[in-house]
C-alpha cells in the first residue's frame, strides 16, 4: 500500500504548518510532504522553527490524524563554495533535529550544486554526506534524493549512480515525474528510468508536465535564446505528456509500496479540487 503525501505548497501563503495538517485531513490525505516555506525550512536558509512551533505542529498532527511523513528541503550541500556548503550542512543538521522531534522519518531532497561545475559539486556532495552520516544514523532518519533541473546532476542514470556511490541503505533515489523530460533528456520512457534505479527507487513525485524538447524545442519560448535556465511545470495528471498508463502499470508490476507525493504547483484557483482528483486517481491506480 503506497503512502499518498500531499505537498501543501499552494497553501503556504494562507495557512500555517499546523493548519495544513487540518487541510490535508479535509482533503482526505493521511500524510504530508512539507515543502520549503519561510517560517519553517526555507530554500537555503537556516530553519526558523522553535519549540512553540514544534508543539503546535505536534498537536495538529495528533488532532487531525495527519502525519508529516517527509520534509522536502533545498539546501546547497553540493556547493563548490566551502562556506555555502558548510552552511547547508548546518541547516540539514538542524532540520534532522526538528524531524526527530516531530517523528518525521524521511528527508526528501535534491542534489543542488552547480551544473556548470559538476566535478567540484560532486566532491562537495560526498563531503557533506560523510559529515552528515552520523546525524542521519543517530536519528534513524532516511533520505531520498532527486536530480532537480539545474542541479549538478540532471539526468536519471547519473543520479542513481551517485546515490549508489554513497552505499548506505537509508539513502536512496526519488524519481520526480514532472522532471522526467530533463532526467531523460527528452525521453518519454519513464519505465526504463525507474527500472534503472531498481531497488534504490524509494520515492515518487506525482505531477504532469509537457516535454520541453518536443517540436524542435518550441514547446516553450524562452528569451534570450540559449539562456542558462531550466523550464518545467508541476501540473495535474492529464495536463501534460507523462505516460501515466506506463508509469502506474510499472509501479503495480513491482508492487511499489513507498511514498508517492502529490506535488502540483501554480493552480491555486482550484487547488482543493485538484488535490482531491489527484488523490483519487492514485488510489484507483495503486490500489488504496
Amino acid at each position: 500500500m503506497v503512502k499518498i503525501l500531499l505537498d501543501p505548497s499552494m497553501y503556504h501563503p494562507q495557512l500555517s504548518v499546523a493548519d495544513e495538517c487540518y487541510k490535508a485531513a479535509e482533503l482526505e490525505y493521511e500524510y504530508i510532504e512539507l515543502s520549503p516555506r519561510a517560517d519553517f525550512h526555507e530554500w537555503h536558509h537556516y530553519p526558523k522553527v522553535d519549540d512553540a512551533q514544534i508543539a503546535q505542529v505536534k498537536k495538529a498532527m495528533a488532532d487531525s490524524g495527519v502525519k508529516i511523513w517527509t520534509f522536502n528541503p533545498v539546501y546547497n550541500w553540493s556547493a563548490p563554495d566551502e562556506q555555502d556548503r558548510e552552511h547547508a550542512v548546518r541547516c540539514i543538521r538542524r532540520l534532522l533535529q526538528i524531524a526527530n522531534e516531530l517523528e518525521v522519518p524521511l528527508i526528501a531532497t535534491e542534489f543542488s550544486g552547480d551544473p556548470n561545475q559538476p566535478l567540484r559539486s560532486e566532491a562537495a556532495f560526498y563531503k557533506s554526506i560523510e559529515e552528515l552520516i552520523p546525524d542521519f544514523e543517530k536519528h534513524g532518519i532516511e533520505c531520498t534524493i532527486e536530480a532537480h533541473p539545474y542541479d549538478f546532476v540532471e539526468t536519471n542514470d547519473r543520479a542513481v549512480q551517485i546515490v549508489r556511490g554513497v552505499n548506505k541503505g537509508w539513502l536512496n533515489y526519488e524519481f520526480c515525474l514532472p522532471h522526467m523530460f530533463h532526467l531523460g533528456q527528452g525521453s518519454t520512457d519513464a519505465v526504463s528510468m525507474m527500472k534503472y534505479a531498481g531497488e534504490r527507487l524509494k520515492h515518487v513525485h506525482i505531477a504532469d508536465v509537457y516535454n520541453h524538447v518536443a517540436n524542435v524545442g518550441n514547446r516553450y519560448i524562452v528569451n534570450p535564446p540559449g539562456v542558462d535556465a531550466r523550464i518545467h511545470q508541476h501540473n495535474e495528471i492529464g495536463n501534460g505528456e507523462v505516460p501515466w498508463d506506463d508509469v502506474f502499470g510499472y509501479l503495480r508490476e513491482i508492487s511499489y509500496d513507498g511514498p508517492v507525493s502529490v506535488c502540483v504547483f501554480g493552480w491555486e484557483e482550484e487547488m482543493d479540487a485538484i488535490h482531491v482528483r489527484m488523490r483519487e486517481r492514485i488510489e484507483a491506480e495503486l490500489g488504496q
Side-chain angles (χ1 to χ4, degrees):
M1 300 286 283
V2 299
K3 289 180 172 63
I4 304 176
L5 283 52
L6 171 68
D7 181 337
S9 176
M10 291 195 284
Y11 300 100
H12 287 347
Q14 296 88 28
L15 301 179
S16 67
V17 175
D19 287 339
E20 287 176 344
C21 292
Y22 298 111
K23 170 57 72 172
E26 175 189 324
L27 300 172
E28 299 185 37
Y29 283 79
E30 297 181 32
Y31 303 99
I32 281 176
E33 174 160 292
L34 191 62
S35 50
R37 47 181 296 152
D39 62 349
F40 208 91
H41 58 86
E42 187 180 5
W43 283 275
H44 305 303
H45 290 265
Y46 194 78
K48 306 299 191 294
V49 184
D50 61 13
D51 290 343
Q53 287 171 289
I54 289 173
Q56 289 168 1
V57 175
K58 278 185 177 178
K59 183 177 187 304
M61 287 197 294
D63 291 348
S64 67
V66 170
K67 179 176 178 60
I68 298 175
W69 192 258
T70 67
F71 289 154
N72 184 211
V74 182
Y75 293 124
N76 200 359
W77 57 349
S78 304
D81 179 88
E82 180 62 10
Q83 182 176 356
D84 291 346
R85 190 200 66 80
E86 289 177 352
H87 169 70
V89 168
R90 282 193 295 272
C91 292
I92 295 169
R93 190 165 280 141
R94 172 59 182 147
L95 193 64
L96 286 168
Q97 294 170 355
I98 297 165
N100 185 62
E101 285 282 331
L102 292 174
E103 299 182 359
V104 174
L106 178 64
I107 301 295
T109 189
E110 303 170 4
F111 283 102
S112 295
D114 184 345
N116 299 306
Q117 300 184 73
L119 184 57
R120 293 186 66 207
S121 296
E122 181 180 315
F125 168 75
Y126 282 117
K127 184 176 182 180
S128 295
I129 287 290
E130 288 173 3
E131 293 177 8
L132 287 165
I133 282 172
D135 298 273
F136 277 100
E137 295 186 347
K138 170 187 174 183
H139 297 302
I141 293 172
E142 297 191 0
C143 182
T144 56
I145 309 178
E146 66 164 301
H148 196 283
Y150 214 77
D151 283 358
F152 79 86
V153 53
E154 300 180 83
T155 57
N156 181 83
D157 291 9
R158 188 60 173 164
V160 172
Q161 292 161 9
I162 292 170
V163 166
R164 288 174 181 158
V166 177
N167 199 30
K168 292 289 183 180
W170 50 263
L171 189 140
N172 289 289
Y173 183 59
E174 174 207 304
F175 185 63
C176 186
L177 283 151
H179 302 160
M180 67 165 284
F181 297 116
H182 288 279
L183 293 168
Q185 297 178 303
S187 171
T188 61
D189 192 353
V191 170
S192 289
M193 288 185 270
M194 290 189 286
K195 281 183 176 179
Y196 188 82
E199 293 183 355
R200 290 292 179 180
L201 178 65
K202 297 293 186 182
H203 195 175
V204 179
H205 273 187
I206 303 286
D208 217 331
V209 65
Y210 288 97
N211 189 345
H212 64 286
V213 302
N215 298 323
V216 291
N218 285 331
R219 182 78 67 173
Y220 307 100
I221 297 173
V222 181
N223 289 316
V227 67
D228 189 18
R230 308 293 187 269
I231 188 166
H232 66 283
Q233 314 91 6
H234 286 240
N235 296 338
E236 183 179 1
I237 290 174
N239 187 13
E241 295 170 309
V242 171
W244 291 108
D245 289 345
D246 294 343
V247 167
F248 287 127
Y250 177 70
L251 293 175
R252 289 193 297 268
E253 177 186 326
I254 64 172
S255 300
Y256 178 80
D257 61 357
V260 295
S261 303
V262 173
C263 50
V264 178
F265 309 144
W267 300 91
E268 282 82 353
E269 63 272 16
E270 53 173 332
M271 52 192 173
D272 283 5
I274 286 172
H275 287 132
V276 170
R277 290 194 296 264
M278 290 285 289
R279 174 183 54 74
E280 291 176 344
R281 175 67 183 274
I282 296 168
E283 289 172 347
E285 294 282 2
L286 298 180
Q288 283 291 97

